């Protein structure tokens, strides 16, 4: 039998994803226990985490299993990711070997790997997490790569359903925000895909130069249309975009065209600090109080103001909580 990985949500059918979300709802209600006794998850964090690490460790514990955390270059050997590398430099172990060995110890392996420079064309294929899946004999879960954060996408889908009831036809605005660093596009693409799967109307508000990868934009449009929603359009004025929003998903991301050229990218974002969700801007949304989402961590009063994050329509902590429920469902589905 071939193993099943979880690299992108779109690798699974809509029916499989709906079943996962339904199981997550039952888990949240306290209706599901056990199922992962004597199972082990190995998590490879090539980049830091608060939510992903804690929610997966908690999920394994709650169902009777165990989680092991590896931090290459810190508490475990630094990993070489290039095929055919002559490893006479700083890296000690090839991911090919690490993936094969972890597959012998663990029942499932999670990998987090953000982009590490280079140009966009060379990193947009999510090769590191896909190589892990290729070489590991056990299921591999993408815990955030260059292009996707599928666990966040599931949690965001669950949160949209909780907050909106039936999200179909409601307006989802993905709003770019200023941030001191150029961040990956995995979360904004995944968030818009979550809304597309729910059949929502989707607006992307971003300054000129901050387009998502064209393939991601096309996929968001295609899925929204297939699921009865609509891709309304891309706007470069946050005030115009927020009018009539039912949900505002705030996220910063780096310019793909300047990817890996940090000084050039920093020049592009100069003068864009006004791209921030403030209380007056939230007032312009539908009913003056759209649901506010962000994957966290968030730069307070830089991406979103305190008054909004701590206000009654903020769903950011629910999204973080739902990471636990959807990941419990995912682990049960992959390992039971
Ligand atoms: N949202 C999210 O993935 O959080 P962490 O980076 O803390 O895991």
């Amino acid at each position: 039998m071939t193993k099943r990985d979880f690299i992108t949500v779109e690798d699974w059918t809509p029916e499989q994803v709906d079943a996962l979300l339904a199981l997550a709802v039952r888990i949240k209600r306290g209706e599901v226990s056990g199922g992962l006794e004597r199972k082990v998850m190995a998590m490879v964090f090539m980049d830091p985490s608060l939510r992903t690490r804690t929610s997966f460790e908690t999920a394994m514990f709650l169902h009777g299993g165990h989680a092991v955390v590896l931090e290459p270059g810190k508490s475990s050997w630094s990993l070489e990711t290039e095929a055919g590398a002559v490893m006479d430099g700083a890296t000690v172990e090839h991911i090919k070997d690490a993936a094969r060995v972890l597959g012998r110890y663990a029942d499932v392996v999670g990998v987090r790997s953000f982009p590490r420079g280079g140009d966009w064309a060379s990193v947009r294929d999510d090769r590191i997490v896909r190589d892990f899946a290729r070489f590991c004999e056990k299921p591999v879960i993408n815990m955030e790569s260059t292009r996707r954060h599928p666990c966040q996408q599931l949690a965001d889908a669950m949160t949209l359903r909780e907050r909106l009831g039936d999200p179909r036809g409601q307006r989802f605005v993905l709003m770019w925000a200023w941030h001191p660093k150029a961040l990956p596009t995995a979360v904004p693409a995944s968030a818009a895909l979550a809304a597309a799967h729910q059949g929502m109307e989707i607006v992307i508000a971003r300054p000129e130069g901050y387009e998502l990868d064209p393939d991601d934009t096309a996929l968001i449009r295609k899925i929204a249309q297939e699921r009865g929603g609509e891709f309304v359009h891309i706007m470069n004025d946050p005030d115009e975009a927020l009018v009539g929003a039912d949900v505002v998903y705030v996220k910063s991301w780096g310019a793909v065209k300047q990817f890996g050229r940090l000084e050039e990218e920093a020049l592009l974002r100069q003068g864009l600090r006004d791209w921030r969700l403030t209380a007056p801007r939230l007032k312009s949304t539908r009913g003056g109080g759209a649901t506010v989402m962000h994957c966290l961590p968030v730069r307070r009063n830089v991406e979103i103001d305190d008054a909004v994050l701590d206000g009654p329509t903020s769903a950011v902590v629910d999204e973080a909580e739902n990471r636990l429920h959807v990941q419990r469902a995912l682990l049960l589905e992959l390992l039971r």
Side-chain angles (χ1 to χ4, degrees), residues 116-131:
R116 297 181 149 60
D119 60 15
W120 183 245
S122 68
V123 299
R124 66 187 291 284
D125 61 357
D126 275 345
R127 190 177 42 78
I128 294 175
V129 68
R130 290 189 187 280
D131 277 353

Side-chain angles (χ1 to χ4, degrees), residues 25-33:
V25 169
R26 290 184 51 226
I27 287 169
K28 191 168 184 175
R29 283 196 210 118
E31 295 172 7
V32 182
S33 60

